[in-house]
Structures are given as C-alpha cells and as structure tokens.
Amino acid sequence: MELHVKREHFSSDEQHPNRARMLISCPDGPGIVAAVSRFLFDHGANIVQSDQYTIDPSGGMFFMRIEFDLPELERRMEQLQAEFGEIAGQFQMNWKIFNVSHKKKLAIFVSKEDHCLVELLWQWQAGDLDADIALVVSNHADMKEYVESFGIPYHHIPVTADTKAEAERRQLEVVGEDIDVIILARYMQIISPSFIEHYRNRIINIHHSFLPAFIGGNPYAQAYRRGVKIIGATAHYVTEELDGGPIIEQDVQRVSHGDDVGELKRIGRTIERVVLARAVKWHIEDRILVHQNKTVVFN
Amino acid sequence: MELHVKREHFSSDEQHPNRARMLISCPDGPGIVAAVSRFLFDHGANIVQSDQYTIDPSGGMFFMRIEFDLPELERRMEQLQAEFGEIAGQFQMNWKIFNVSHKKKLAIFVSKEDHCLVELLWQWQAGDLDADIALVVSNHADMKEYVESFGIPYHHIPVTADTKAEAERRQLEVVGEDIDVIILARYMQIISPSFIEHYRNRIINIHHSFLPAFIGGNPYAQAYRRGVKIIGATAHYVTEELDGGPIIEQDVQRVSHGDDVGELKRIGRTIERVVLARAVKWHIEDRILVHQNKTVVFN
Amino acid sequence: MELHVKREHFSSDEQHPNRARMLISCPDGPGIVAAVSRFLFDHGANIVQSDQYTIDPSGGMFFMRIEFDLPELERRMEQLQAEFGEIAGQFQMNWKIFNVSHKKKLAIFVSKEDHCLVELLWQWQAGDLDADIALVVSNHADMKEYVESFGIPYHHIPVTADTKAEAERRQLEVVGEDIDVIILARYMQIISPSFIEHYRNRIINIHHSFLPAFIGGNPYAQAYRRGVKIIGATAHYVTEELDGGPIIEQDVQRVSHGDDVGELKRIGRTIERVVLARAVKWHIEDRILVHQNKTVVFN
Amino acid sequence: MELHVKREHFSSDEQHPNRARMLISCPDGPGIVAAVSRFLFDHGANIVQSDQYTIDPSGGMFFMRIEFDLPELERRMEQLQAEFGEIAGQFQMNWKIFNVSHKKKLAIFVSKEDHCLVELLWQWQAGDLDADIALVVSNHADMKEYVESFGIPYHHIPVTADTKAEAERRQLEVVGEDIDVIILARYMQIISPSFIEHYRNRIINIHHSFLPAFIGGNPYAQAYRRGVKIIGATAHYVTEELDGGPIIEQDVQRVSHGDDVGELKRIGRTIERVVLARAVKWHIEDRILVHQNKTVVFN
C-alpha cells in the first residue's frame, strides 16, 4: 500500500515558514493586550490571527492565542522568547511560543478497535493532520502490518494485570520525552497516575459517550438501556479521574428505538472518529488552553 | 389580547372526521399483522399509515401503530372495539383505539419560568397543537392574567413543605380523571408517587439537560462546571425515579467556553421549548408506546 | 395582557454602565492591533473581549471587534471618538464606537404570518433581546391589538401595486432616521432600492429556505417538490438583489418523505424564529461586519 | 496491507439465512396491507419489520417495505414470487422480493479524490457494508495498487473528450448487467443518458453541496463566494439532469467566515463520506423507493 507516499504534502511548514503561535493565560488586568501587541509590533511581527477570552473581567483569568509572522523566525526564536519573558513576568503569565514549522510529534495508542487509528492515518496521509505520527503503541499485535505499511514504527506491548507496571515502563521508554501529545485512539487500558503526570494535558482520549453520561465501560450498552434518543462521543484530556478530564470536543447523532446496541456502536464509530480527529487537530494547532479541568478552545 | 380567537383552527377533526388510531403492543408471533389488517379490511377501514417494530423477532415484543379511516366511525366505534377485543385476546395485546376527532385534554403545570408554557400556548393558538388545553395549574400566581386571556382556567395552588399533600389533593381535584395528559412545563416541584400512579405514562416533564447527564437541580450550572461543549434538554414521562422515566425526545445545541451559566440558560430555553413541544405533539398524536422504561416513538 | 410589564429587565445598561464596543474594518498591515490596544490602554480602558479576523494576511482586509470598559464613558465618549479618528485615518479604518448602555432601536415589519414577531416580542419581554422595539409596521391590521398590548406603537400601512410608492414614503416617515435596524419578520412585500439605500446593512430579512436554494416565493413548496431531506431558514441583510444579500445566519432541520408542504411550513416556522432571533441579537450586540456581500460574525 | 482479510465478517447471510425483503409501490386503495400480510402469513412467513407510506390516502400512491423470515427461503423463492405475482397484478403493484443472503454487487467509480472510496472500503472491511464490491473503475491510475491490495479488480479507463463514447462502452463491458448499483464516489465525469438508462435508479452520486444550492462545478468555491454559514453534501440517484436526480440523503455542517475554500473542502470531505456511506447502506438494505424524482426512504 503506497497511497500515502504519493501524496504531496503542503504542510504549514512550506506555506508559512516564519509563522509562530503564542498561547497565554494569566490573571486579567489592564494593559495585557497592549503590552503583547506592542511587543510583537516592535519586533516586526505581523499578527495574523488573535483570539482572547476573559472568564470574569473583574479579577478573573485572561486567555489569549496569537498567530503571527516574524521574518527569520527560526534564527530569532530564542531571543524572542527570552525578551518576552520580561513581559510575561510582569503579568504572571503562563505562556508558550511555538514555531509552526516545527511539526508536533504524535504517539497513538490503540487496542483492538481500529476505526480511530485508521481515521487519523487517513487524515494524516491526506495532508489534513499537520503533524508527525512518530509511533503507534498497542497491547495487541493486530494492526502491526497495517501501521508499518505507512512507515510508522509499531510497538506491541501486551498488558496484563501482572505486567501493567512493567508495560507502562516500556511505554514511557518508547514514547520518550520528545513526544508532544499521546492519542488514546480507543486504547482500552486504564492509564496510571504516574504515567499521566509525565504528560499532563498532553494525553487525549476519545470516550464513546456524551460525557458525563455513561462513564466507564460499555457506554453504548448503557445508552441502549437508558433509551436515549441521541448518542455522542467526547474527546478529553486524561486526568486521574476516570472519564473526568477537561472536555475538548463533543458531538452527537440522533438514534431511534429501532437501533440496537450493535447499531449504536456502528453509528458511534463515525462520531468517535470525527470528534477525536477534531480534538487532535485543535491540539496540534495550539488552539486549546486548559484551566481548572475545563478547556478554552479558540477555533 | 385577542390574537388567539381570530385564528381559524383547521383541526384534524374537520379534516378527517372518520379517522382513528390504533396502538398495539404484545409478544411477537406469527400472524399478528395479517390478523389486524384483515380485521380492518373486513370492517371497511382504509389504512392510511402503519408503523411496526419488533424488539427481537424470536420471542420479543411487537409494537404497532395504525392510522385508518372508517366510515361512520363515531357511530361504530363501540362495536369496533368490542369486536377487536377478540383478536386482542388471542395475541395477548395491550391495545387502544382512538377517535382522532376526540381532541385530547391537556393540563399544564408551571412554576415561575414561563417559556415552555408560552410556547405551548403559541403553538396551540397557531393551530399546531391539536388538543384542548383544559387548565393550567401553578404554585405561583404570576401567569394567571396571561393564561386567562386565552380563556383557559388558571388554578393557583401554592405548595410548601407543609402543604404539599394537601396541594396535591387539590391538584387531583382540579385535574380530574378526564385529562389525557399532564405537561410539566418547568414545574419545579417533585411529584409524589401516588400522584404519578394516577397518571402512569401520562405526565410529561421537560428536564433542562441532556439526560442522563446532570440529573436533579441546576443542570445548567452543572453543565458549566463540567465544561461540556454541547447542552440539551430531555422530555420524558415521569416515574418515581427522579429524572429517570422513559425518554420521549431530546435535542442539543453546541456551546463554547465563552457561554456562562446565564447564556447556557438562555440557549437552553429554546431547546427546552422545542423538545417539549415535540414530545407533547407526539403524545397527542398517539405516536408513543412505553415498554420497560423506554419509548417506541413512531414518527 | 400584563406579562411584559412584570418582568425585571437586567439590561446591559445596568450591568455595565461604562461598556463600549468598537468595530473596525481596514486594509491589513502591521501595527493595527498594537495601535488600537495602546490607544485604549492609554485612555484607561480595560479590554473585556476582542476578536479579529484577516481575510488574507498579505494585502487583505482586517476586521476587529473590541469590547471594553472605560470609566465615565458617557462623558468621555465624544472626545474618545475624536481622538481615535487620528489612528483611524492612519490605517484607513472604517470604524464605529458604540456605548452599550444606549440601547439600539428596532422597527419590526410584519405581514400576516406572526410567528417571528411573536418570538421577538417574547424574547424581548423575557429580557433576552437587549434593545428597544420602537414600533411595528404592517400591511395588515391583524396584529394591532396584540402589539399594542405590549405598549408598542403599531402602524398599519396597507400596500397595493398602486400605492406602493406612497406606502414606502409613509414607512420612511414613521421609521425615521433614528432607528438602528429594521427587522422584516416575514414581511411579504418587496422593498424598493431607494428604501434599502436609506438603511444600508440595517435591514434584516428572514427567508424561509436555506439560501441560495429556493429563492423567491413559496420556498417550502419548492423544497417539497425537490424532495430535499433537510430544510432551513436564512437571515440576511437586504440588498437590491432578491434574497441575495449578505447572509448573517442559517440553520436547518431534518425532514422526511412523509412531511407534506404544511408540515414543512410547521417545522420551518421554528427554524425561522430561531434563526431570525439569533441574527437580530448579533446585530444588536455589534457582532456583524459586512464586506463585499458577506458577513464576518464574531460570536 | 492485510487488515481486511483478518476481519471476521458476520454478514446478514449468516445471521438470517432465511430473511427476505419486499418492496411495493402501487396506487393506494383498500385491502393492500391485508392482502400482502395474509399472503405472507399463509406461506408461513414471519414479518420482522414493516414500513408503509401513502402520499395522499384518497387516490395517491402507496409504498411498502416488508422484512420477513421464511423457512427454506432459497428453495421456495421462485414459487413465492410466482404466487405473489397474482396479488401484485390485482393491485397494479410495482414490486420486488430480495433474498437478503444474496449480497448486492457494487461497482465504485472514482477519479482523483479518494476519500469516499477509502470510506466505503473501510466500512466494507469493517463489516458495516453488507455487500460485495465487485470492481472499481477510474479514469486515473492513482488508486490501482491500493484497491487491488483489498483483492478488488481495478479498471483504469481514461476518459477524454474524444474517447468518451468508447470509454463508456468499456465501462459498460466491465460493469456488466449483473451489478446491482454503481457508486460515483467523486467520479468527476458526466455520465451519458444512454449509460444512465442502463442503470436507472441504480447509480448513486455524491454531490459536494447541499443541493439544490451550488449545482455544477466547484460547489465549495461557490459556497465561499455566497458566504453561506452551513455547507453540506447530497447523495442522489443520477438522472439526465445534472445534479437533479432523486435525493437520497443530505447532511450539513456549520462553517464560519474564517473558513476559506480549502477549509470548506476539508470539512466537506467528512460530510461527503458520511452521506454517501449512508445512502449506499440504505440502497443495499432495500430501504429506498423512487417515485417521480423523489425518494421514499424507510429507515
């Protein structure tokens, strides 16, 4: 299967070699926008897109995402960050600046259900997912040949009750520190708190229900029993609380009394694929800020 | 306010004076459709619409809704029902036949929030709700003048912890046995089991969340805290379990991090209005069958 | 009918007495955001919300909406505008600053179908439409009593082929120059170019189809004939081209082969109500910028 | 890529070896349902699902879909059809009976855009598309290797203005008479009337707009220029009128002023995939009846 190598990728890299994104969150107060925009102007940057949100104008939190072009970005990035540090300190900012041409590195975890993995690979090879898929990790061997046909390393790390700790140690090893985000594409194992701690707000899970309804196992069977008229899927960052992390995206579809559990699963698979792919895209494009178990999504 | 009296009502009554609807549920088995359709044919009825659903063809439940025209329906109804009783017995049917020209009688219960009541009154006076609104009951006096301007009796029955039992006795009295369905149009009091028992599967509530998420009080505040990206409303029949009865209809709308609780309430009011009105319409048109805490809705 | 007078209106006026909104469109170029945010900071304003959009970063158009609080806004507005004029000239800006506490004045035009008018009045009296409904104009007398029961003047101006010019002259007279926006709430008369010229981008129409499908008369009949599976409604600014002006908002709902024209109309009425109300809300909140027959909506 | 061969297919064949579906359309009149259901009962069939629709009860058209189990279906099918012919003649029925275990044969036509083809292949290998994909035809060679990796024959038949007639002759040859339905999965060539005539109501096209808006070429560019707030896709049977055939299914998604043509295409690809897959599924499950350029879809 050679399909993916034939594609021409017009990545953001080639289109906008000097584009950067800045994410800021800090306590609200006067002068933040003026200071940031003045800083960028003084450095010769051109603001392409800017979004801002304040939870509560008097004493709440302020969130900002700025996309800008800066000539010779690659060479000047280090200095830019150093100089912005002064403004950041002044306003107690939590901040990051990303060079858009540095593609984010993804690790995808999967178990037996393959639809979310297949969707991400399809979007990636279609040029819609502007990132590098660095590796796939699975507790099963089923998808090995398929994944490797894309030239992507596949790590089969079985997990049992006894080997769980050891398995996570191996996962940490193959994933490494360099990965930007881990995607649980229907990975059916509980992640331990210590593993989560390594990748705080950098593990995205797709849960196959409209959270907070139907937490835990077999959500489609739960939905069928309750007789809901709409089912959904939820992409969220993983925290120590099962299915309780910050929600990134949700979507739903209407069902009827005539749809049995199998049909709900079939319909749900498409919702899951779409919702997870959107969440991953937004994460890759630095559109998501997390604050107190909730997300601010600038899209 | 005379708006409502100026409307010309083209109700189903005038359009289809001889139309009837039959609802059947029974254990599935061979020959049911043949027996029912033969019975109607032999009596000179013309089937206008027919819907059918079987949960599990081998040993499950069978549900059917038939709409048919029968000359001189009014005069022949009693005999028709008597004769159908034989077939019904043979197949252990739970069944009803409704004369469409006999409009269903509604009682609407409301507290302070008026949007659902206003919507039902508007749809009713626009001719979209083919029923008689027999009375409105409220634990507050606020809407009295408004409701009475439509010529509809308004019963102000205050409810406190101490007077709850007495209040329900008065409610039973004013509603009576003749009412087909009670609509809880944002009626913010818990209904007692004995009251529910009187109107089993005939009390429709609108809950302001996408059930089973956010059961109980302040669902919009719960939704805001959880950071969901979609909110919804649910119309269901009232049972002894709080917000746990058979779901009739649900709908949702996308929200964002920028919507505070007040905005969620504002958006939600329109979802609530639409969802409740649909559920009431389907009940009135005999489109809903209840089985084991779930609904079969033929629409 | 006294309902509306009993409501407590917590309008933006009382909540945010010093809040202003600024709308800007201009050719894109470096330094715009820095200049504007610096200007506001220097005047002691606190930016509450800011949205920005650039069609094409190299040489395209730049659009911005800023919501800010400025102490003693009322007293200082005139000077603020005078001083901002300098910056505006520098960047060739098309701009406006609105004092949020000055409520916008609406005129609603209606014919026989009343659902959109009823919705706007309901949202207004519920406190969801933060504006003054200054008057209602209709070519029919039907809604006079109803509208006047809200304390709103009702001008019955009949329109025939012969009296059209004269009727528009009277409409201009009663509407006046002081009105911020005219809402065609299912007003079934063509508006003349000279009338449109008076209120460029200030007349909102609701068209009962998903434009550009089904332009012109009887869109639901057209939709039924074409056998579409989804119907919609479109709110747009009125231009000289019939149903061709800048689209503000659209929404849709699924229908089936079983829905006849009457049912499409019934379903459509709710879509129309919701879509028009959203468009009016966004206009009132200064969220819409028009550029070359398209809208930028910051919401 | 071996993924597809590892799947276990639980097709309807194995689940319901004796299941049949009957599609009927005829002028409405009394006794149709009674006659059909009596016929099935007398032959020992058990009705599993039945849907019915009448356009206009007095003198309109009647449509029916029945799913039933009949012991030894395979052996008795011929006789069943012969005997049903008598009833059919009596009511002037247009009818068909399908043995569900005889899988439908699909031919997929594709050009350069591969997303719809990839989706159908994925759903097929996931067991969600209960049919045989007999062959793929394309005017380009791009997808040859990919399609053949599934074990499906790929016919590369180039089309130019000069060779169009000859190309269609070759297409007819490779498709043959045995194919149940042809799927135009973003096949960008106009089909000639004579080719359409061969496969009347058996060619499904996906058009990348919410028809009848944006007929013809570049619908996403048209949608961008018009500034619509919602885009969609439409699956329809192909007729001689360009993008004018009976609509099977449509779906939509909200877009904003910030989405350029490229983004509309990206969003649209997912809508196209989902809509086409639904339409194909319904065709395969015999859920669609065509009448006067419109579809009746029992789902």
Side-chain angles (χ1 to χ4, degrees), chain D residues 174-190:
Chain D
V174 301
V175 172
E177 299 298 323
D178 206 30
I179 286 290
D180 292 283
V181 59
I182 295 173
I183 318 297
L184 307 186
R186 296 299 304 273
Y187 181 69
M188 307 309 279
Q189 299 286 328
I190 305 286

Side-chain angles (χ1 to χ4, degrees), chain C residues 204-218:
Chain C
I204 296 175
N205 183 47
I206 180 73
H207 184 72
H208 35 320
S209 85
F210 180 79
L211 287 176
F214 314 129
I215 286 167
N218 291 321

Side-chain angles (χ1 to χ4, degrees), chain C residues 10-177:
Chain C
F10 292 108
S11 70
S12 50
D13 188 357
E14 296 144 53
Q15 289 173 59
H16 306 293
N18 288 314
R19 183 153 298 178
R21 295 188 200 113
M22 184 187 271
L23 286 185
I24 296 169
S25 53
C26 64
D28 195 24
I32 301 174
V33 180
V36 173
S37 53
R38 180 62 192 253
F39 172 87
L40 290 173
F41 179 66
D42 287 348
H43 283 75
N46 188 29
I47 296 178
V48 170
Q49 175 68 31
S50 153
D51 294 280
Q52 165 193 337
Y53 168 63
T54 304
I55 288 184
D56 171 12
S58 50
M61 285 294 289
F62 171 92
F63 305 92
M64 194 173 201
R65 175 187 189 270
I66 300 184
E67 211 164 318
F68 60 90
D69 288 334
L70 182 73
E72 298 188 76
L73 177 69
E74 182 75 41
R75 192 181 59 74
R76 297 169 61 194
M77 181 61 113
E78 204 172 334
Q79 197 187 341
L80 191 78
Q81 295 194 316
E83 289 176 23
F84 189 74
E86 285 176 46
I87 288 175
Q90 195 178 327
F91 292 98
Q92 298 174 266
M93 285 176 180
N94 199 335
W95 65 282
K96 278 182 195 163
I97 305 178
F98 301 94
N99 185 329
V100 172
S101 67
H102 291 194
K103 287 195 187 187
K104 292 218 169 19
K105 285 189 175 53
L106 272 57
I108 302 177
F109 282 37
V110 68
S111 290
K112 289 227 158 197
E113 294 257 25
D114 64 3
H115 52 285
C116 288
L117 172 65
V118 169
E119 178 75 16
L120 291 174
L121 289 173
W122 175 76
Q123 294 214 3
W124 170 74
Q125 60 92 353
D128 287 347
L129 207 66
D130 191 25
D132 286 331
I133 300 180
L135 74 161
V136 171
V137 172
S138 179
N139 52 334
H140 296 280
D142 305 44
M143 304 292 293
K144 184 175 168 59
E145 197 175 351
Y146 177 67
V147 168
E148 289 179 348
S149 80
F150 287 84
I152 298 169
Y154 186 92
H155 299 269
H156 175 209
I157 304 178
V159 180
T160 65
D162 286 350
T163 65
K164 194 170 169 64
E166 167 60 17
E168 279 207 349
R169 210 167 39 242
R170 285 195 51 208
Q171 288 172 352
L172 271 177
E173 221 173 270
V174 300
V175 172
E177 299 299 323

Side-chain angles (χ1 to χ4, degrees), chain A residues 53 210 212 214 224-226 228-230 243-245 247-251 254 257 278 294-297, chain B residues 53 210 212 214 224-226 228-230 243-245 247-250 252 254 257-258 294-297:
Chain A
Y53 168 64
F210 180 78
F214 312 130
Y224 179 76
R225 272 197 302 276
R226 184 61 188 92
V228 292
K229 300 301 186 187
I230 287 174
D243 302 330
I247 292 173
I248 302 168
E249 171 64 340
Q250 305 186 285
D251 213 336
R254 190 165 282 278
H257 59 262
R278 273 191 217 137
K294 291 169 71 170
T295 62
V296 172
V297 181
Chain B
Y53 167 64
F210 181 32
F214 312 130
Y224 179 76
R225 272 197 303 276
R226 185 60 187 93
V228 291
K229 301 300 184 186
I230 287 174
D243 301 330
I247 293 173
I248 302 169
E249 171 64 338
Q250 305 186 288
V252 296
R254 189 165 283 276
H257 59 261
K294 290 169 71 170
T295 62
V296 172
V297 180

